[in-house]
Amino acid sequence: MPLAMNKEVFITCAVTGSGSTQDRSPHVPRSPKDIADSAIAAAKAGAAIVHCHVRDPETGAPSRNLALYREVTDRIRDSDTDVVLNLTAGMGGDITFGGVENPMQLNDAGTDMIGASERVAHVAECLPEICTLDCGTMNFAEADYVMTNTPGMLVAMGQMMTDLGVKPEIEAFDTGHLWYAKQLVKDGVLDSPALVQLCMGVPWGAPDDLNTFMAMVNNVPDDWTFSAFSLGRNQMAYAAAAVLAGGNVRVGLEDNLWLDKGVLAENYQLVDRAATIVSNMGARVIGPQEVRSKLGLTKREPKP
């Protein structure tokens, strides 16, 4: 297909992530205050959307604690900086099997499987404009770990998000995830036009070569909105590639810890660099109000 560069680009900053990066950089925020402050700084640098996980403030370990989510979202909403809130709904689908000879002796330390309602509980509590929906099961790079999202679970979670009036951001780690996302729309579980994040270079999903990237792009319906990212050193290259392919940009410490070789980044620095790339390509970075209008989002206060 011919390239149709996007001239009105929004930037998402993935502020925290759910991996073990808290021990690899002092700039990965842990406490709700630190996460909110980092998100606000990213918004001031040009991010229209902030994508947030929460962590245990003491250990930095990924958490599903509702009070932590509520504190993060309240702090961001109470600030004088407007930004679209995007919360993860990816936690609670983790299985770590017991090894190749005893797979059903699950590793309790790495297994965190909960029901659909509990996986969406913080979304119902905080009512962000957007939350993520990982649209398939993924192996990642760990021997016995699987991120589990069955079709039944995705139907249940997707319907809950739709009923809450929170727009799902479909996280597509491979072409089959897009295939199923289109089925969810066809079945009326998700509204159309949908919002998609193309997750490139995440082991063992879609590799981040440009041929695979364009195969992903070509599987996104023309009336849907997509963003894309890649990991580590390819993060900024994919900021340019996404815009050139007609999409939007995601950067942040969830996907990349480095600003330059040997220089650890902060979220706002990654956003600032991405905004410079977008502007130098002749496109315009749009703000949160324009994103709400483009995506049909409603900014709401959380439940009292």
Side-chain angles (χ1 to χ4, degrees):
M1 80 177 210
L3 290 175
M5 177 178 157
N6 185 11
K7 294 296 186 71
E8 305 284 329
V9 177
F10 62 77
I11 297 173
T12 296
C13 183
V15 177
T16 45
S18 62
S20 59
T21 54
Q22 76 276 3
D23 296 324
R24 294 165 52 200
S25 171
H27 302 310
V28 175
R30 296 187 179 199
S31 72
K33 180 181 185 302
D34 289 344
I35 294 169
D37 287 347
S38 191
I40 291 163
K44 289 180 177 177
I49 303 172
V50 289
H51 169 60
C52 297
H53 297 240
V54 295
R55 293 176 177 270
D56 182 291
E58 298 300 322
T59 67
S63 174
R64 294 188 284 102
N65 187 297
L66 262 63
L68 297 178
Y69 275 108
R70 183 62 183 263
E71 184 177 347
V72 167
T73 54
D74 283 352
R75 283 180 178 276
I76 294 172
R77 283 176 165 135
D78 290 343
S79 75
D80 59 0
T81 301
D82 187 27
V83 68
V84 174
L85 285 170
N86 175 342
L87 299 183
T88 184
M91 304 288 288
D94 303 315
I95 296 179
T96 300
F97 291 96
V100 296
E101 300 298 342
N102 296 290
M104 294 312 294
Q105 293 182 8
L106 300 182
N107 181 333
D108 291 340
T111 297
D112 179 30
M113 287 292 292
I114 56 175
S117 296
E118 191 173 353
R119 288 182 70 172
V120 182
H122 63 293
V123 176
E125 171 72 16
C126 299
L127 293 177
E129 290 104 318
I130 300 171
C131 69
T132 60
L133 184 66
D134 297 331
C135 223
T137 293
M138 271 283 291
N139 286 336
F140 286 95
E142 301 170 43
D144 299 309
Y145 167 76
V146 178
M147 179 187 77
T148 308
N149 293 288
T150 66
M153 182 66 76
L154 291 172
V155 168
M157 291 174 63
Q159 191 63 61
M160 290 175 193
M161 294 168 185
T162 298
D163 292 345
L164 286 167
V166 176
K167 191 171 190 70
E169 180 187 68
I170 295 161
E171 303 283 286
F173 295 86
D174 217 335
T175 51
H177 297 181
L178 289 170
W179 186 8
Y180 189 57
K182 287 183 276 191
Q183 187 64 46
L184 289 173
V185 169
K186 182 178 178 181
D187 292 343
V189 175
L190 304 184
D191 292 334
S192 186
L195 172 65
V196 178
Q197 185 71 249
L198 302 179
C199 310
M200 307 301 299
V202 179
W204 297 110
D208 64 358
D209 63 87
L210 289 177
N211 285 335
T212 303
F213 176 56
M214 288 311 300
M216 296 280 277
V217 170
N218 289 336
N219 272 283
V220 177
D222 290 342
D223 61 337
W224 291 17
T225 298
F226 78 90
S227 294
F229 71 87
S230 187
L231 306 180
R233 69 185 67 184
N234 288 334
Q235 184 174 76
M236 292 303 160
Y238 263 78
V243 174
L244 187 60
N248 300 279
V249 171
R250 168 169 143 171
V251 294
L253 295 179
E254 178 169 345
D255 309 320
N256 166 45
L257 298 177
W258 301 96
L259 187 65
D260 293 301
K261 186 175 182 179
V263 180
L264 289 167
E266 296 192 48
N267 278 305
Y268 78 88
Q269 294 173 313
L270 296 172
V271 172
D272 181 69
R273 181 162 292 183
T276 299
I277 290 170
V278 171
S279 298
N280 285 346
M281 293 178 70
R284 185 173 69 89
V285 176
I286 65 174
Q289 287 288 60
E290 289 174 280
V291 170
R292 291 187 186 102
S293 177
K294 176 182 178 69
L295 299 180
L297 307 177
T298 301
K299 185 177 182 179
R300 294 180 293 182
E301 294 298 320
K303 295 178 180 178

